Amino acid sequence: MFDRLSDGFNGVFKKLSGQGSISESNVREAMDEVRTALLEADVQYDVVETFCERVMADAVGREVTKSLKPGQEMIGIVNRRLVELLGGDPDADPQEALTQSGPGILKMSPGPTVVMMCGLQGSGKTTTCGKLAAMLKKQGRSVMLCAADLQRPAAVEQLETVAGQADQLPGGAQVRFYGEADQVGAYGERVGVAVDVCKRALKAAREAGVDVLILDTAGRLHVNDELMGELHSVHKVLNPHHIFLVVDAMTGQDAVNSAKAFHERLEVDGVILTKFDSDTRGGAALSVKHVTGAPIRYIGVGEKLDAIEPFHAERMAGRILGMGDVVSLVEKAQQEVTEEEAEKLQAKMAKGELTMDDFLKQMRSLRRMGPMKQLMGMLPGVGSMLKDIDIDEKQLDRTEAMVQSMTPAERAKPDLIKGKRQKRIAQGSGNEQTQVGQLVKQFGLLNKMTKQMSGMSGSARVAAAKQLAGGGMGGMMSGMPGLGTKGSTKSGSRGVKKRKPKKRR
Amino acid sequence: MALFKSALGKLKKGLARTRETLGGGLRSLLTGKRLDEQLLKDLERRLIESDVGVAGARELVESVRTDYKAGNIETGDQVLDHLKRQLKSWWPEQDRSLTFATSGPTVILVTGINGVGKTTSIAKLCKALRDEGRTVLLGACDTFRAGAVRQLEIWGERLGIDVVKGQQGGDPASVAFDACDAAVARQVDVLILDTAGRLHTQQGLMGQLEKIRRVIDKRIPGGPHEVLLVLDATSGQNALRQAEEFKASAGVSGIVLAKLDGTARGGIVVAIRSATDIPVKFVGVGETPDDLEPFDPEAFVEAMLAE
């Protein structure tokens, strides 16, 4: 994600870092590259022009602050303008801006809060409905999903299945479904019927006392007057509290204009960007706020129903500039581990009494947070190193299998695992005996390390961790048994695979 | 081309918006003007805005600039003619018809990322093949997305075409195998396989496509005879990455450019041409099963730059 853009910006910063001050000529030359990178990333033409002009104006002639180098000064300027472009407030207190949670979905009383989804065909409306439902359910709010797409074959069935899946997910509320499969017609034939279906859904939602009603409308082109009229009627009759426009993150120059057309007709109050886990260069993310005026509210980051995140302009700017997104990472972690659990664990670590069971639990909650590569990408400076590396999630599966093949006694005291036991575990988990040995050895080191570290101050801890990790990313992984790249034989080379360097356009 | 004989009328209709903005825009930009550097700059902007891509736009503008410097072009109207000639020369004589098996069923594998319009394109393709008098069978290998099989079934019911399906969440390759079996047993002319949408960045899922290919070849040697990649015309330059990745894993032999009626500019067709050799075989220009057209570059360029 954003690789090409990050490279473009980093080129600028590098160019400037050798210079004594920021002059018009050196910035202009550097910004030309950024301009090309932005255009190649499908950022809308006007947006690119405006952005580059503003950055130039901010940068040129500025006396470089004594303590900063020109490269760093430029990072500051670009970051401010990026935040602005993404719909954030560049003057907000950075710490506060990073941690605020965003507006969320209104709580109406009496309910339900009505949310209408709209967008082009194939942007991902139905899947996003399911994701919003799963998110609300997690917050303890009940949801009804209404199938108002009577155009696409089987759209009603799809939403019903998605609602069922969302209802299976953890959370203290129910996800219901409302649909009238018999109302479905061929494309363009049943325009207008959706309005009545929505009305009846609202009635059903009121009777059932659900908190949020989400209307999944049919995909349509903004130039299709008939279908846009239908949306307009739904809007007039149901008066939704939120209208979300679903936009594909890989959208091109022109499609951003269609988002504008939607907004002009419906006053969209937020955009949800989907397929953000692709290698989108970020064009839509950077253009949509500027072009439509509607802020980005959520991003979809995978096919599973929990793969949705609130959008933060400040954090996204950080990711684009290769500065990572530690805040999101910590938040994800907080969702998985309670404070109490964390304290217990810390106490154990301090005594060097970590068991294999603890380790298994840790690894599982880490993996629940998302694919390893996505998580690592949130660490400062790691993102750009990751682009040519494939992390083999299967290696983690193998490690899990090894731990699961251990007896409770072995898990509590891994030192027991020698010769015959090693062989049994290897056979039980389908691994080589040397791999089991490796895991046990690394686990021992980890325990020793954590015990030492718990007595240190913060900075000393970081230094120690670095020493343990050997600095690089590969080393960091070796801090975790079974993931090692350094010093391990077979398992290591599988943990992190280096892809052949590929020519990038 | 045997397949699709319909006139250019519909392509033009579908491209009406392209013409209005790109063609019309270029016309009003260029007509009656003397060529200068500012006009060249505006031209580049207009081309980039139409999703032609930075590289493609710059190449086109450079070729105009060369002729301008040599004194061959002086007016905006001449630029239009130049662009038309230049663009047409970009498409070599290329076989853009579907490849059919010499004997036995022809297998067409349809791939693409999520939400590009695979299933709808398949319905359109079915109708066209059936109208030509060929017998068609469908295989629902999208066992992942909720409602995907049902969506294909509904199209099958509407068009009177049978669908081979498997378990929701089952192995798509086994559905492909069963569908091949059925195609051989029933002696149909064409078997079209729908696959689940997958982002080209998901290595595992791309590997699954390779497996599906192997399984088809095992049951019907030489298959799939055609691997179509469906691209969304409203997507930006990322479409080029999709073409690269799908070509590497699935051996794409042709592109279906869907939703061309959804973009006012259509420049992505030019971008695809400048980045890859995979021929665009069909374009989708509407929502009904009739809205699929064979791609004809000559006509496309004319439609793009028409008055």
Side-chain angles (χ1 to χ4, degrees):
Chain A
M1 186 176 63
F2 297 149
D3 290 346
R4 180 72 183 78
L5 267 188
S6 303
D7 288 352
F9 282 120
N10 284 329
V12 176
F13 304 144
K14 252 185 215 146
K15 262 195 187 145
L16 291 176
S17 59
Q19 323 252 356
S21 71
I22 302 178
S23 75
E24 176 151 2
S25 64
N26 61 23
V27 174
R28 189 169 293 281
E29 192 191 327
M31 282 309 285
D32 262 353
E33 269 173 50
V34 169
R35 197 171 161 273
T36 305
L38 287 168
L39 285 174
E40 281 176 350
D42 290 321
V43 182
Q44 214 245 358
Y45 201 95
D46 279 331
V47 177
V48 175
E49 294 287 287
T50 313
F51 175 78
C52 289
E53 265 166 41
R54 285 183 185 164
V55 170
M56 284 288 295
D58 288 352
V60 168
R62 176 181 289 218
E63 282 295 311
V64 179
T65 323
K66 286 260 154 40
S67 60
L68 285 173
K69 297 181 176 115
Q72 283 169 317
E73 182 87 11
M74 194 68 187
I75 292 178
I77 292 168
V78 170
N79 187 45
R80 269 181 67 91
R81 287 301 178 187
L82 268 183
V83 168
E84 182 186 60
L85 198 58
L86 290 163
D89 176 9
D91 293 319
D93 175 68
Q95 222 47 45
E96 223 168 88
L98 278 173
T99 46
Q100 69 178 357
S101 59
I105 288 173
L106 288 173
K107 284 181 186 163
M108 298 312 292
S109 173
T113 305
V114 181
V115 179
M116 178 164 107
M117 312 285 279
C118 58
L120 298 172
Q121 289 97 335
S123 49
K125 286 175 294 302
T126 307
T127 306
T128 307
C129 282
K131 289 178 177 179
L132 283 180
M135 184 185 81
L136 289 162
K137 182 184 160 100
K138 214 171 181 179
Q139 296 165 5
R141 298 168 75 182
S142 61
V143 182
M144 181 180 279
L145 293 176
C146 164
D149 180 354
L150 307 175
Q151 311 277 334
R152 181 163 59 95
V156 177
E157 284 94 332
Q158 184 185 354
L159 190 70
E160 186 170 11
T161 310
V162 163
Q165 287 167 349
D167 199 36
Q168 299 296 314
L169 292 174
Q174 210 181 346
V175 177
R176 290 165 213 261
F177 167 77
Y178 184 88
E180 301 178 15
D182 54 334
Q183 297 285 355
V184 176
Y187 192 83
E189 275 174 20
R190 303 304 298 261
V191 177
V193 180
V195 184
D196 294 327
V197 173
C198 289
K199 262 200 275 188
R200 289 192 283 271
L202 180 59
K203 191 161 166 273
R206 278 208 186 108
E207 278 164 11
V210 301
D211 299 324
V212 183
L213 172 67
I214 301 178
L215 310 171
D216 181 25
T217 66
R220 64 201 75 211
L221 295 174
H222 58 289
V223 286
N224 185 329
D225 276 328
E226 218 181 346
L227 282 172
M228 287 304 279
E230 180 193 85
L231 273 190
H232 211 74
S233 310
V234 174
H235 183 202
K236 239 177 27 210
V237 174
L238 276 91
N239 208 3
H241 306 97
H242 293 290
I243 303 178
F244 290 140
L245 178 68
V246 181
V247 177
D248 185 329
M250 285 170 281
T251 285
Q253 291 265 341
D254 184 52
V256 181
N257 293 332
S258 73
K260 188 179 171 184
F262 268 97
H263 186 47
E264 276 164 3
R265 274 193 87 152
L266 291 168
E267 283 186 48
V268 169
D269 71 338
V271 170
I272 302 181
L273 279 181
T274 58
K275 309 179 203 172
F276 222 80
D277 50 329
S278 67
D279 57 353
T280 166
R281 294 170 185 183
L286 288 169
S287 311
V288 97
K289 171 67 171 62
H290 187 94
V291 175
T292 66
I296 303 169
R297 298 286 298 273
Y298 298 97
I299 51 176
V301 292
E303 298 208 47
K304 292 196 184 129
L305 289 183
D306 57 359
I308 187 166
E309 294 174 5
F311 179 82
H312 296 274
E314 294 74 18
R315 301 182 194 177
M316 197 53 65
R319 283 200 215 177
I320 294 175
L321 295 177
M323 305 193 302
D325 183 2
V326 179
V327 185
S328 293
L329 188 64
V330 171
E331 278 179 2
K332 272 180 177 249
Q334 278 167 347
Q335 281 180 10
E336 286 302 333
V337 188
T338 64
E339 215 161 305
E340 202 184 331
E341 275 179 313
E343 269 170 32
K344 256 194 215 159
L345 197 73
Q346 211 158 22
K348 276 189 168 174
M349 280 164 74
K351 291 183 203 148
E353 284 173 0
L354 218 55
T355 69
M356 281 284 182
D357 272 324
D358 298 325
F359 169 61
L360 190 64
K361 217 163 129 196
Q362 285 291 300
M363 189 162 74
R364 283 184 176 159
S365 47
L366 188 66
R367 296 186 73 185
R368 266 203 303 275
M369 283 159 58
M372 212 41 91
K373 186 165 176 171
Q374 200 180 320
L375 297 180
M376 308 277 289
M378 291 181 180
L379 292 169
V382 177
S384 60
M385 288 194 312
L386 277 179
K387 63 184 175 192
D388 292 323
I389 293 175
D390 262 343
I391 292 172
D392 188 1
E393 301 266 339
K394 281 212 178 102
Q395 181 57 34
L396 299 172
D397 291 339
R398 285 185 207 111
T399 307
E400 272 198 44
M402 282 192 264
V403 179
Q404 279 173 308
S405 296
M406 296 172 189
T407 64
E410 287 164 352
R411 292 190 204 188
K413 255 180 106 64
D415 287 343
L416 288 174
I417 303 171
K418 300 225 163 73
K420 256 175 136 175
R421 287 179 188 259
Q422 265 190 14
K423 199 171 167 192
R424 194 200 75 243
I425 292 165
Q427 277 170 347
S429 62
N431 286 288
E432 301 286 330
Q433 198 176 331
T434 48
Q435 282 174 299
V436 180
Q438 199 75 46
L439 174 67
V440 174
K441 198 173 144 201
Q442 282 178 350
F443 187 80
L445 278 173
L446 180 77
N447 242 338
K448 217 163 127 190
M449 217 46 228
T450 49
K451 189 179 172 186
Q452 283 173 6
M453 270 162 70
S454 61
M456 295 176 186
S457 67
S459 58
R461 250 187 238 187
V462 173
K466 266 193 185 150
Q467 204 184 358
L468 173 80
M473 189 317 291
M476 214 168 76
M477 307 277 293
S478 76
M480 218 168 135
L483 272 179
T485 51
K486 268 186 70 191
S488 60
T489 51
K490 230 173 189 164
S491 62
S493 59
R494 284 205 203 140
V496 179
K497 242 189 314 197
K498 184 96 180 148
R499 241 198 278 161
K500 255 189 288 170
K502 220 188 230 165
K503 218 183 109 210
R504 273 175 189 269
R505 202 174 293 285
Chain B
M1 186 179 344
L3 191 65
F4 303 106
K5 286 237 174 77
S6 72
L8 297 169
K10 200 177 287 154
L11 178 64
K12 282 208 174 136
K13 203 180 105 213
L15 283 177
R17 298 186 49 231
T18 299
R19 219 163 61 235
E20 274 157 28
T21 46
L22 179 57
L26 279 178
R27 267 185 189 274
S28 60
L29 177 73
L30 296 168
T31 311
K33 299 250 178 69
R34 289 210 71 77
L35 189 55
D36 55 22
E37 274 301 322
Q38 185 54 46
L39 198 56
L40 282 171
K41 223 183 141 199
D42 292 343
L43 176 65
E44 181 184 300
R45 174 202 176 112
R46 193 71 58 131
L47 288 169
I48 290 175
E49 280 178 338
S50 70
D51 282 329
V52 165
V54 180
R58 288 191 176 152
E59 192 180 335
L60 280 171
V61 170
E62 263 328 296
S63 78
V64 176
R65 186 174 278 129
T66 312
D67 268 20
Y68 166 61
K69 292 253 165 79
N72 298 331
I73 301 183
E74 286 169 353
T75 68
D77 300 83
Q78 287 170 321
V79 173
L80 274 177
D81 287 335
H82 177 94
L83 283 179
K84 226 184 246 185
R85 261 197 327 270
Q86 187 74 20
L87 277 173
K88 281 183 187 172
S89 75
W90 278 16
W91 279 276
E93 272 307 309
Q94 204 175 20
D95 191 6
R96 273 179 286 271
S97 54
L98 285 174
T99 315
F100 289 97
T102 42
S103 66
T106 299
V107 184
I108 302 177
L109 183 65
V110 181
T111 62
I113 67 159
N114 319 56
V116 286
K118 281 179 297 301
T119 310
T120 309
S121 296
I122 286 172
K124 294 174 179 177
L125 201 56
C126 275
K127 171 127 196 327
L129 289 163
R130 204 199 50 189
D131 288 354
E132 263 193 356
R134 294 177 203 268
T135 51
V136 183
L137 182 68
L138 285 168
C141 300
D142 182 353
T143 53
F144 180 78
R145 181 172 63 88
V149 176
R150 186 73 198 119
Q151 186 179 354
L152 199 65
E153 268 183 328
I154 292 174
W155 278 119
E157 284 161 20
R158 284 184 196 168
L159 297 168
I161 290 169
D162 286 344
V163 179
V164 176
K165 54 180 179 174
Q167 288 287 319
Q168 178 76 26
D171 180 11
S174 80
V175 180
F177 192 86
D178 290 349
C180 287
D181 254 353
V184 173
R186 300 184 195 185
Q187 298 182 320
V188 296
D189 297 325
V190 183
L191 167 67
I192 305 179
L193 298 174
D194 187 18
T195 61
R198 63 202 74 219
L199 291 179
H200 50 292
T201 45
Q202 292 162 336
Q203 306 276 327
L205 287 177
M206 295 304 280
Q208 188 186 64
L209 279 182
E210 289 174 38
K211 181 178 171 192
I212 293 176
R213 275 191 66 110
R214 280 199 307 274
V215 165
I216 295 170
D217 184 48
K218 208 167 180 185
R219 188 64 191 85
I220 301 181
H225 307 86
E226 189 78 65
V227 180
L228 295 177
L229 171 66
V230 183
L231 294 177
D232 181 340
T234 63
S235 74
Q237 306 302 308
N238 189 273
L240 309 178
R241 294 276 307 135
Q242 294 167 29
E244 261 174 50
E245 294 291 334
F246 274 94
K247 191 181 181 187
S249 316
V252 172
S253 55
I255 289 170
V256 178
L257 196 62
K259 307 187 205 173
L260 197 57
D261 55 329
T263 166
R265 320 268 164 104
I268 190 70
V269 180
V270 181
I272 290 169
R273 175 63 213 127
S274 61
T276 164
D277 287 332
I278 310 170
V280 173
K281 295 197 168 176
F282 302 101
V283 291
V285 289
E287 285 282 351
T288 77
D290 289 315
D291 293 326
L292 188 74
E293 291 289 316
F295 176 66
D296 176 353
E298 193 104 341
F300 181 79
V301 173
E302 285 294 336
M304 248 172 93
L305 300 177
E307 281 178 58

